[in-house]
Amino acid sequence: MTIQPKRLPMLAALFLYVWCGGVAAQPLRGTAISAPIDAAPIDAAPLNLPTAIRLALAQPGVRAAAHEVAASDAALAQAGSYPNPTLEYLREGQRAGTRTTTIVLNQPIELGGKRRARVALAEGSAGLARSELAARRQEVRADVIADFYAVQVARERQQVAQSLLDLARRSVDVAVRRVAAGKISPIDETRARLAAADAASAVNGAKGELAVARARLGALIGQPGDAVALAPSPIEQLPDARPRAALLADDTAPVRRARGQLAAQLAQADVERAARIPDVTVSVGSQRDDEVGRRQAVLGLSVPLPLFNRNAGNLSAALLRADKARDELAAAQAMAASDLTGADVRYAMARAEASLLRQEVLPQAVSAYERTLTGFEFGKFSILDVLDAQRTLFQSRTRYLDALLDAWRAWADIERLAGATTEQIAPSGQELTP
């Protein structure tokens, strides 16, 4: 068949359309068609402690302190600037031929080390802002540690309460069978049911405690409390405490803050001391007298006379504030040593109590309950003995969780005072310590 030349463009366009449609209708070999990003929600991964700390450090409270550091750096750059010159224009007379025109450039010259003192003050303010940022980061980090393990302990409390409820229901079942067999009084069954009701109430209380703990942690990391999902963490693995001498040897966050405040006040005193020396102003210009018909140079020097104001009051106030900052530094050192000692003692005591309860008390309480319940089934113990063993087991587990929570809170206090600083936190947000 012969194709006419006029039909060639039409056939080529038809072939191209069919080919492109077939390619578009079939995916590329080996390539999967991905769904839209928001087609299905992706559940967030459970949070671990480093991730929670990283999220908390990105919240507005810490960012505000970081903005202050940036502002202090900008003020430091400005502090080294020299004073600007001024340009003056004077004209005497209005009639042409009799006027005198003067143009003068005035340049102030700072004396007495004012610029150096101003730069030192800006450096002190920048250092103080950095210490404030570091202290803020340490506080947030310590709060996250305390609230993170508070959620973990609250979750364990809920599980303990649920296990107690299961034990109470088991006791009720045994009591029902023995009442049906005529072995015990129905009053004992009522007592067992009351204990089960108390256990159910404890479960509800544990759920509320968990919700409150999650809400506190969520407020720190910027998430709703009901959306906080934590990865399982071994709360029994308490970190090893640093030697107390090493803790006291390091500068704590309040001490670093007080030391920065002292440096800033001393720099302010140097600024006020330098302000007592007057500055000079050098003037260079040109003057033209129309009557004479020539231009002549103008040179001048201006020096303030410190007759009435020698900046003595400002200098005295700055020196007194420096003395105040020095005393505050001494008070901060004493208070930090006391707080660190107290936190270290509380951590050691709570850790020892948790170890004792885990190794000795809890196994004995579990064994005593099992033996008492078995003896009750065979008529060797009364229902009161079972309830007492059940109560002892629950109290032992609760006391163990209380000791763990006290230990983690004491550890958070140690981290708040002498924990990782800003420089010790990796850029990725991974913490060097738990």
Side-chain angles (χ1 to χ4, degrees):
M1 181 178 64
T2 303
I3 300 175
Q4 297 181 3
K6 295 182 178 180
R7 295 183 178 180
L8 286 176
M10 184 180 301
L11 292 176
L14 180 61
F15 174 76
L16 182 62
Y17 174 77
V18 174
W19 182 80
C20 292
V23 172
Q26 298 178 0
L28 295 178
R29 183 175 300 174
T31 304
I33 300 178
S34 59
I37 296 177
D38 56 350
I42 301 176
D43 294 335
L47 293 177
N48 53 18
L49 181 58
T51 303
I53 292 176
R54 177 177 57 82
L55 292 176
L57 293 179
Q59 295 308 304
V62 181
R63 293 204 307 268
H67 291 325
E68 181 62 29
V69 172
S72 299
D73 291 338
L76 176 59
Q78 177 64 31
S81 301
Y82 292 95
N84 292 323
T86 59
L87 182 63
E88 293 185 7
Y89 173 79
L90 302 175
R91 189 177 69 176
E92 299 177 7
Q94 298 295 331
R95 298 175 55 186
T98 61
R99 290 179 300 191
T100 301
T101 305
T102 306
I103 299 176
V104 179
L105 182 67
N106 301 316
Q107 175 61 54
I109 299 177
E110 295 179 316
L111 300 179
K114 291 185 178 64
R115 179 176 176 272
R116 182 176 63 254
R118 189 169 60 247
V119 170
L121 176 59
E123 290 176 348
S125 299
L128 181 60
R130 290 188 179 89
S131 65
E132 292 285 350
L133 174 60
R136 179 59 180 163
R137 289 171 67 93
Q138 282 185 236
E139 291 176 359
V140 171
R141 182 173 177 272
D143 290 340
V144 172
I145 291 175
D147 290 342
F148 180 87
Y149 285 103
V151 174
Q152 299 284 4
V153 171
R155 188 162 55 185
E156 292 291 332
R157 289 184 191 276
Q158 182 178 352
Q159 295 177 1
V160 169
Q162 185 62 47
S163 65
L164 173 66
L165 178 59
D166 296 338
L167 293 178
R169 289 172 177 173
R170 180 182 171 188
S171 301
V172 170
D173 294 338
V174 174
V176 169
R177 291 198 303 267
R178 290 188 59 79
V179 168
K183 301 296 183 180
I184 61 174
S185 169
I187 297 178
D188 292 336
E189 179 184 349
T190 302
R191 291 171 178 170
R193 292 187 182 279
L194 288 175
D198 291 338
S201 177
V203 171
N204 294 331
K207 290 181 179 179
E209 181 182 352
L210 177 59
V212 172
R214 292 174 63 183
R216 282 200 306 265
L217 181 60
L220 286 175
I221 64 178
Q223 294 183 5
D226 53 359
V228 175
L230 301 185
S233 178
I235 59 176
E236 298 87 358
Q237 296 181 3
L238 296 171
D240 294 332
R242 295 169 55 189
R244 191 176 303 174
L247 289 175
L248 298 177
D250 297 337
D251 279 346
T252 62
V255 171
R256 288 193 296 268
R257 184 184 302 168
R259 184 171 283 111
Q261 186 67 36
L262 175 60
Q265 292 298 334
L266 291 176
Q268 181 65 44
D270 291 338
V271 169
E272 301 299 341
R273 188 178 291 107
R276 301 181 63 185
I277 301 176
D279 299 333
V280 299
T281 302
V282 178
S283 302
V284 178
S286 175
Q287 185 181 72
R288 177 177 177 78
D289 192 343
D290 291 347
E291 292 182 351
V292 178
R294 65 179 181 179
R295 185 177 298 277
Q296 56 186 355
V298 176
L299 298 176
L301 182 66
S302 175
V303 180
L305 299 178
L307 298 179
F308 306 107
N309 182 10
R310 297 185 179 182
N311 204 40
N314 291 335
L315 177 59
S316 178
L319 291 175
L320 290 174
R321 290 192 176 97
D323 293 337
K324 172 189 173 183
R326 192 175 289 106
D327 291 338
E328 289 177 346
L329 173 58
Q333 290 173 338
M335 184 60 66
S338 175
D339 292 342
L340 266 178
T341 301
D344 184 62
V345 170
R346 286 189 289 109
Y347 180 72
M349 293 176 58
R351 186 180 182 186
E353 182 181 6
S355 178
L356 176 64
L357 291 170
R358 182 179 65 252
Q359 296 176 5
E360 298 183 11
V361 177
L362 282 178
Q364 294 179 5
V366 173
S367 177
Y369 174 77
E370 294 294 340
R371 291 196 307 267
T372 304
L373 183 61
T374 303
F376 174 67
E377 292 179 355
F378 290 97
K380 295 182 178 180
F381 297 104
S382 66
I383 189 62
L384 295 178
D385 296 328
V386 175
L387 296 180
D388 184 64
Q390 180 178 297
R391 189 182 306 109
T392 301
L393 176 59
F394 178 70
Q395 290 175 352
S396 300
R397 290 180 176 177
T398 302
R399 184 178 174 185
Y400 173 62
L401 293 177
D402 290 340
L404 288 177
L405 184 57
D406 291 341
W408 281 115
R409 285 175 174 171
W411 177 261
D413 291 338
I414 294 175
E415 291 294 302
R416 190 188 315 276
L417 294 170
T421 60
T422 306
E423 293 78 9
Q424 294 172 316
I425 298 177
S428 61
Q430 299 295 324
E431 295 295 313
L432 300 181
T433 57

